C-alpha cells in the first residue's frame, strides 16, 4: 500500500485528540501496540531501524485509492517529511477522528 504525507496537516491537527500525549501515542493506543523505549523498530517506509524517539505519528492518505480519509502511521523523522509515495506494505493505519478533518 502506498501512502503520501498530507501537506499542512500539522496546522490542521497539530494537537492530538484529548487523552493522547501525541499522535504516536494515539496510534499506539488505537493499535494496541506500544513501541518500547530502547527497542528498535523498522520504519515501514524506508526499512531502517530506529528507536521510539525517532518516530512520529504521521498524517497520511492512501495513494491510488478512492479512500481519502486521513490516517496516522508511525514514520521516522525523515520519512515524515517525504514528498514521494513510499510503499508501507500491510501495516495497519489508524484513522484520524473525523471531527479533526
Ligand atoms: Zn523512514
Amino acid at each position: 500500500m502506498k501512502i503520501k504525507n498530507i501537506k499542512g496537516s500539522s496546522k490542521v491537527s497539530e494537537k492530538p485528540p484529548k487523552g493522547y500525549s501525541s499522535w504516536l501515542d494515539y496510534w499506539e493506543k488505537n493499535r494496541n501496540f506500544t513501541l518500547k523505549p530502547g527497542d528498535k523498530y523498522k520504519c515501514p517506509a524506508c526499512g531502517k531501524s530506529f528507536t521510539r524517539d525517532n518516530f512520529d505519528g504521521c498524517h497520511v492518505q492512501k495513494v491510488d485509492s478512492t479512500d481519502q480519509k486521513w490516517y496516522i502511521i508511525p514514520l521516522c523523522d525523515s520519512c515524515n517529511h517525504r514528498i514521494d509515495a513510499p510503499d508501507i506494505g500491510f501495516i495497519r493505519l489508524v484513522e484520524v477522528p473525523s471531527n479533526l478533518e
Side-chain angles (χ1 to χ4, degrees):
M1 176 174 38
K2 287 187 177 174
I3 50 95
K4 63 178 180 191
N5 289 317
I6 301 169
K7 273 189 202 150
S9 58
S10 59
K11 284 185 196 129
V12 179
S13 58
E14 200 168 356
K15 285 190 184 149
K18 253 192 170 169
Y20 300 98
S21 61
S22 66
W23 281 109
L24 181 57
D25 183 47
Y26 176 83
W27 182 86
E28 288 179 324
K29 285 179 177 152
N30 285 279
R31 188 66 183 75
N32 203 17
F33 182 88
T34 303
L35 303 178
K36 295 188 196 85
D39 282 10
K40 286 200 165 182
Y41 298 91
K42 269 190 183 167
C43 169
C46 66
K48 294 179 195 151
S49 294
F50 300 97
T51 55
R52 191 182 189 281
D53 311 354
N54 295 102
F55 282 98
D56 284 317
C58 185
H59 291 69
V60 300
Q61 279 179 311
K62 294 175 185 170
V63 173
D64 302 329
S65 170
T66 54
D67 179 359
Q68 293 298 300
K69 289 185 196 126
W70 288 21
Y71 294 94
I72 297 297
I73 180 185
L75 295 178
C76 75
D77 283 340
S78 57
C79 288
N80 196 6
H81 298 104
R82 278 168 77 157
I83 52 166
D84 60 344
D87 193 331
I88 54 155
F90 297 101
I91 188 167
R92 186 125 49 95
L93 306 170
V94 173
E95 220 177 294
V96 173
S98 55
N99 59 342
L100 287 175
E101 279 177 8

